[in-house]
Amino acid sequence: MSPNTPAPTRAESRLETIRTCMIETGMYIGDPKLLANVQWVSMGTGRQLRRMDYPNEPAVLCAAAMIAADDYYLTADGGWPDRVPGTPNIANAKATCIGTVAMSAPFRGDWETTRENLARLHELVSTTSNDGNGDAFYREMAHGTRLDIQLEHVLFKLRKQRQEVGIDYPSIGEWPVHSLTAREALDELNRTHYASPLIVYDFNGGRVAPDAYRGHLQCALAQIQFTLEQGECEGGVCEAHVKAIRVLRPPTLRGQRRQYTWTRWRMGPASVPEMDQI
């Protein structure tokens, strides 16, 4: 370090350490070696991006991104039914948001590599170009100076899909929603589905409850873990499914949009499974 170069702040050192840890996983989207560590594998009627060293395991990619204020629906009910009027069943509603790839230090130098990796991953699995037709899991915005990753999380799953043993999933009866319409729809869904909370950790490493996602995530810089899947083998939509989020820099109040008023419409907090932090 030059004598005239100021010493990194505690926050800068923390972000540099996190970046180093992401690179060491071999799954960081800003790593030039990423493509050598992953492969697309057929799975049923679609494809999934998997690890090269463990081909039976999905590749859990990691990125540092700013969670955008616009098109933010990473909430406990995904904004249903107001946001998705064409989706009559709340079981099909998804929590979604846009992650804009970080361009601040120490991630600034990884931006071009990230752009190349995303483009190549999409090219390998899609027969169509990234021209805004809706098939891509990412978009180049602002004349190619901004990278947006379309992220989503499935909130409700069929009971027969529950394979994890010993995990106490939240009861749908206690799941937070923002409208009576959603509450009534979930009461009907309780017979066939269970709630699947997104794993979110705040800046201090504490677990974030489903009714507090927005306050911690919208406009925050975050470390995001996600997998990639394509619904159909030929030309299907490629989706980025969020596995976990860790807040690296909390949002500012000025950057956040209006807050929903959340209510569980039931007494008692919703429980969440204990899992290792990112």
Tab-separated table of all heavy atoms in Angstrom, residues 3-4 7 10 17 23 35 37 75 77 106-107 123 135-136 154 162 181-182 184 198 200 202 211 223 241 244 247:
chain	number	residue	atom	x	y	z
A	3	PRO	N	2.153	4.986	0.756
A	3	PRO	CA	2.017	5.798	1.968
A	3	PRO	C	0.883	6.806	1.873
A	3	PRO	O	0.330	7.236	2.879
A	3	PRO	CB	3.379	6.497	2.064
A	3	PRO	CG	4.321	5.619	1.308
A	3	PRO	CD	3.508	5.042	0.188
A	4	ASN	N	0.529	7.217	0.632
A	4	ASN	CA	-0.532	8.199	0.446
A	4	ASN	C	-1.921	7.567	0.317
A	4	ASN	O	-2.919	8.270	0.203
A	4	ASN	CB	-0.254	9.043	-0.799
A	4	ASN	CG	1.032	9.856	-0.657
A	4	ASN	OD1	1.350	10.315	0.444
A	4	ASN	ND2	1.753	10.011	-1.756
A	7	ALA	N	-5.878	3.908	4.601
A	7	ALA	CA	-6.162	2.542	5.032
A	7	ALA	C	-7.646	2.249	4.837
A	7	ALA	O	-8.493	3.135	5.001
A	7	ALA	CB	-5.788	2.372	6.499
A	10	ARG	N	-13.285	-0.208	8.179
A	10	ARG	CA	-13.748	-1.503	8.664
A	10	ARG	C	-14.788	-2.100	7.720
A	10	ARG	O	-14.778	-3.302	7.435
A	10	ARG	CB	-14.331	-1.336	10.065
A	10	ARG	CG	-14.818	-2.633	10.693
A	10	ARG	CD	-15.313	-2.380	12.110
A	10	ARG	NE	-15.794	-3.617	12.715
A	10	ARG	CZ	-16.295	-3.695	13.945
A	10	ARG	NH1	-16.352	-2.591	14.695
A	10	ARG	NH2	-16.717	-4.847	14.427
A	17	THR	N	-13.300	-9.124	2.524
A	17	THR	CA	-13.249	-10.485	3.071
A	17	THR	C	-14.374	-11.336	2.504
A	17	THR	O	-14.169	-12.503	2.138
A	17	THR	CB	-13.351	-10.450	4.609
A	17	THR	OG1	-12.250	-9.716	5.142
A	17	THR	CG2	-13.343	-11.859	5.190
A	23	ILE	N	-15.165	-15.952	-3.833
A	23	ILE	CA	-14.265	-16.472	-4.862
A	23	ILE	C	-13.791	-17.877	-4.507
A	23	ILE	O	-13.704	-18.764	-5.364
A	23	ILE	CB	-13.055	-15.530	-5.041
A	23	ILE	CG1	-13.510	-14.198	-5.660
A	23	ILE	CG2	-11.982	-16.176	-5.923
A	23	ILE	CD1	-12.419	-13.161	-5.772
A	35	LEU	N	-17.007	-20.645	-15.096
A	35	LEU	CA	-17.561	-21.513	-16.136
A	35	LEU	C	-16.905	-22.889	-16.167
A	35	LEU	O	-17.502	-23.850	-16.656
A	35	LEU	CB	-17.430	-20.835	-17.497
A	35	LEU	CG	-18.219	-19.530	-17.663
A	35	LEU	CD1	-17.985	-18.939	-19.033
A	35	LEU	CD2	-19.700	-19.764	-17.414
A	37	ASN	N	-16.328	-24.525	-13.542
A	37	ASN	CA	-16.804	-25.233	-12.353
A	37	ASN	C	-18.254	-25.659	-12.426
A	37	ASN	O	-18.762	-26.311	-11.508
A	37	ASN	CB	-16.622	-24.347	-11.115
A	37	ASN	CG	-15.167	-23.992	-10.857
A	37	ASN	OD1	-14.268	-24.760	-11.166
A	37	ASN	ND2	-14.945	-22.810	-10.297
A	75	THR	N	-41.761	-10.329	-0.888
A	75	THR	CA	-42.552	-10.246	0.326
A	75	THR	C	-43.156	-11.618	0.620
A	75	THR	O	-43.057	-12.543	-0.193
A	75	THR	CB	-43.677	-9.212	0.185
A	75	THR	OG1	-44.500	-9.572	-0.939
A	75	THR	CG2	-43.091	-7.817	-0.043
A	77	ASP	N	-46.122	-12.692	0.563
A	77	ASP	CA	-47.167	-13.178	-0.340
A	77	ASP	C	-46.917	-12.770	-1.786
A	77	ASP	O	-47.780	-12.933	-2.642
A	77	ASP	CB	-48.549	-12.714	0.121
A	77	ASP	CG	-48.687	-11.197	0.157
A	77	ASP	OD1	-47.769	-10.505	-0.316
A	77	ASP	OD2	-49.705	-10.711	0.663
A	106	PRO	N	-15.574	-3.503	-3.106
A	106	PRO	CA	-14.475	-4.047	-3.897
A	106	PRO	C	-14.919	-4.869	-5.108
A	106	PRO	O	-14.131	-5.619	-5.673
A	106	PRO	CB	-13.785	-4.953	-2.877
A	106	PRO	CG	-14.941	-5.511	-2.090
A	106	PRO	CD	-15.945	-4.389	-1.984
A	107	PHE	N	-16.204	-4.757	-5.509
A	107	PHE	CA	-16.747	-5.595	-6.572
A	107	PHE	C	-16.656	-4.947	-7.951
A	107	PHE	O	-16.967	-5.586	-8.947
A	107	PHE	CB	-18.214	-5.928	-6.257
A	107	PHE	CG	-18.422	-6.457	-4.869
A	107	PHE	CD1	-18.989	-5.661	-3.883
A	107	PHE	CD2	-18.036	-7.747	-4.537
A	107	PHE	CE1	-19.187	-6.136	-2.598
A	107	PHE	CE2	-18.219	-8.242	-3.256
A	107	PHE	CZ	-18.791	-7.429	-2.277
A	123	GLU	N	-26.230	-18.227	-22.947
A	123	GLU	CA	-26.002	-18.714	-24.310
A	123	GLU	C	-25.958	-20.239	-24.346
A	123	GLU	O	-26.462	-20.862	-25.289
A	123	GLU	CB	-24.684	-18.140	-24.835
A	123	GLU	CG	-24.303	-18.630	-26.223
A	123	GLU	CD	-22.930	-18.113	-26.642
A	123	GLU	OE1	-22.459	-17.131	-26.039
A	123	GLU	OE2	-22.336	-18.703	-27.562
A	135	ASP	N	-36.937	-14.457	-21.959
A	135	ASP	CA	-36.408	-15.786	-21.689
A	135	ASP	C	-35.156	-15.744	-20.830
A	135	ASP	O	-34.680	-16.765	-20.383
A	135	ASP	CB	-36.097	-16.510	-23.000
A	135	ASP	CG	-34.906	-15.889	-23.724
A	135	ASP	OD1	-34.915	-14.651	-23.882
A	135	ASP	OD2	-33.989	-16.622	-24.098
A	136	ALA	N	-34.583	-14.587	-20.593
A	136	ALA	CA	-33.319	-14.478	-19.879
A	136	ALA	C	-33.537	-14.235	-18.406
A	136	ALA	O	-34.509	-13.600	-17.992
A	136	ALA	CB	-32.481	-13.342	-20.469
A	154	VAL	N	-40.069	-19.515	-4.612
A	154	VAL	CA	-41.366	-20.176	-4.513
A	154	VAL	C	-41.805	-20.171	-3.051
A	154	VAL	O	-41.113	-20.707	-2.186
A	154	VAL	CB	-41.296	-21.616	-5.045
A	154	VAL	CG1	-42.632	-22.324	-4.865
A	154	VAL	CG2	-40.889	-21.623	-6.516
A	162	ARG	N	-42.346	-31.997	0.491
A	162	ARG	CA	-41.557	-31.774	1.695
A	162	ARG	C	-40.715	-33.017	1.982
A	162	ARG	O	-41.216	-34.062	2.380
A	162	ARG	CB	-42.464	-31.481	2.882
A	162	ARG	CG	-41.694	-31.033	4.114
A	162	ARG	CD	-42.555	-30.954	5.346
A	162	ARG	NE	-43.712	-30.084	5.162
A	162	ARG	CZ	-44.416	-29.596	6.165
A	162	ARG	NH1	-44.072	-29.859	7.399
A	162	ARG	NH2	-45.466	-28.840	5.931
A	181	THR	N	-57.994	-10.910	1.364
A	181	THR	CA	-58.151	-11.812	0.212
A	181	THR	C	-57.072	-12.881	0.223
A	181	THR	O	-57.343	-14.072	0.018
A	181	THR	CB	-58.074	-11.018	-1.105
A	181	THR	OG1	-59.108	-10.038	-1.132
A	181	THR	CG2	-58.226	-11.945	-2.307
A	182	ALA	N	-55.831	-12.473	0.463
A	182	ALA	CA	-54.724	-13.426	0.523
A	182	ALA	C	-54.878	-14.359	1.715
A	182	ALA	O	-54.569	-15.553	1.633
A	182	ALA	CB	-53.399	-12.681	0.596
A	184	GLU	N	-57.669	-15.424	3.139
A	184	GLU	CA	-58.698	-16.411	2.840
A	184	GLU	C	-58.188	-17.456	1.849
A	184	GLU	O	-58.500	-18.641	1.960
A	184	GLU	CB	-59.942	-15.713	2.303
A	184	GLU	CG	-60.651	-14.853	3.350
A	184	GLU	CD	-61.783	-14.043	2.761
A	184	GLU	OE1	-61.825	-13.904	1.512
A	184	GLU	OE2	-62.625	-13.536	3.528
A	198	LEU	N	-38.124	-17.790	2.763
A	198	LEU	CA	-36.823	-17.463	2.184
A	198	LEU	C	-35.828	-17.253	3.321
A	198	LEU	O	-36.153	-16.631	4.338
A	198	LEU	CB	-36.932	-16.194	1.354
A	198	LEU	CG	-35.641	-15.642	0.734
A	198	LEU	CD1	-35.043	-16.644	-0.237
A	198	LEU	CD2	-35.921	-14.319	0.043
A	200	VAL	N	-33.147	-15.369	4.973
A	200	VAL	CA	-32.610	-14.008	4.923
A	200	VAL	C	-31.919	-13.695	6.245
A	200	VAL	O	-32.481	-13.930	7.316
A	200	VAL	CB	-33.718	-12.966	4.669
A	200	VAL	CG1	-33.132	-11.554	4.680
A	200	VAL	CG2	-34.419	-13.238	3.338
A	202	ASP	N	-29.934	-10.522	8.363
A	202	ASP	CA	-29.715	-9.085	8.374
A	202	ASP	C	-28.230	-8.760	8.491
A	202	ASP	O	-27.376	-9.661	8.494
A	202	ASP	CB	-30.512	-8.413	9.499
A	202	ASP	CG	-30.106	-8.883	10.895
A	202	ASP	OD1	-28.973	-9.384	11.065
A	202	ASP	OD2	-30.930	-8.737	11.825
A	211	ASP	N	-42.348	-11.349	7.538
A	211	ASP	CA	-43.056	-10.075	7.466
A	211	ASP	C	-42.116	-8.879	7.545
A	211	ASP	O	-42.566	-7.738	7.529
A	211	ASP	CB	-44.113	-9.980	8.572
A	211	ASP	CG	-43.527	-10.190	9.959
A	211	ASP	OD1	-42.311	-10.461	10.056
A	211	ASP	OD2	-44.287	-10.095	10.940
A	223	GLN	N	-25.460	-10.087	-0.329
A	223	GLN	CA	-24.862	-11.285	-0.905
A	223	GLN	C	-26.013	-12.244	-1.175
A	223	GLN	O	-26.772	-12.591	-0.272
A	223	GLN	CB	-23.873	-11.923	0.068
A	223	GLN	CG	-23.268	-13.227	-0.434
A	223	GLN	CD	-22.376	-13.871	0.616
A	223	GLN	OE1	-22.112	-13.292	1.665
A	223	GLN	NE2	-21.921	-15.081	0.355
A	241	HIS	N	-33.448	-18.937	-8.989
A	241	HIS	CA	-34.173	-19.192	-7.748
A	241	HIS	C	-33.285	-18.857	-6.548
A	241	HIS	O	-32.207	-19.444	-6.374
A	241	HIS	CB	-34.602	-20.662	-7.677
A	241	HIS	CG	-35.576	-21.055	-8.746
A	241	HIS	ND1	-36.928	-20.867	-8.616
A	241	HIS	CD2	-35.381	-21.614	-9.970
A	241	HIS	CE1	-37.539	-21.290	-9.709
A	241	HIS	NE2	-36.627	-21.742	-10.550
A	244	ALA	N	-30.663	-18.032	-0.555
A	244	ALA	CA	-30.423	-17.295	0.685
A	244	ALA	C	-29.923	-15.899	0.358
A	244	ALA	O	-29.333	-15.669	-0.700
A	244	ALA	CB	-29.410	-18.029	1.569
A	247	VAL	N	-27.573	-9.524	4.123
A	247	VAL	CA	-27.413	-8.090	3.941
A	247	VAL	C	-25.965	-7.686	4.221
A	247	VAL	O	-25.417	-7.983	5.282
A	247	VAL	CB	-28.362	-7.310	4.872
A	247	VAL	CG1	-28.100	-5.806	4.774
A	247	VAL	CG2	-29.818	-7.617	4.523
